[in-house]
Amino acid sequence: MLLRYDDGSGQLVEKLVGPGTGFRFPPGSVHQEEAITDCVLIEASTPHANDRVRVESAYGIDAGIDNLLPSTTPEQVTLLS
């Protein structure tokens, strides 16, 4: 799996991880996971079910935004019960 995240410098860092690897994104950090082979991801997160914020344009990434789930507004964010 390829991980991309902002390490606080305003730039995306890429890290390739393999089986059995653990990784912690700092709270509130921009991050993305990309499966480059079949994989299983176990994620623990905040209790917010839909707190997506699209930042591709801020990092100069053309990701075909029209095909992705949109950012959620603060009014749309819900807590898992």
Side-chain angles (χ1 to χ4, degrees):
M1 176 174 284
L2 181 61
L3 305 178
R4 293 183 190 92
Y5 60 97
D6 185 328
D7 65 356
S9 69
Q11 299 294 315
L12 290 180
V13 175
E14 291 188 349
K15 180 176 178 81
L16 188 61
V17 297
T21 302
F23 189 82
R24 180 181 182 271
F25 294 110
S29 66
V30 169
H31 62 277
Q32 178 186 54
E33 304 91 15
E34 179 181 347
I36 54 177
T37 63
D38 287 345
C39 60
V40 174
L41 172 67
I42 300 172
E43 179 180 356
S45 188
T46 66
H48 300 93
N50 59 339
D51 57 348
R52 286 181 311 278
V53 178
R54 292 284 166 218
V55 297
E56 287 81 357
S57 60
Y59 289 93
I61 298 170
D62 178 14
I65 282 287
D66 295 335
N67 297 326
L68 300 175
L69 292 171
S71 292
T72 51
T73 65
E75 297 79 26
Q76 293 172 317
V77 175
T78 57
L79 289 173
L80 296 171
S81 50

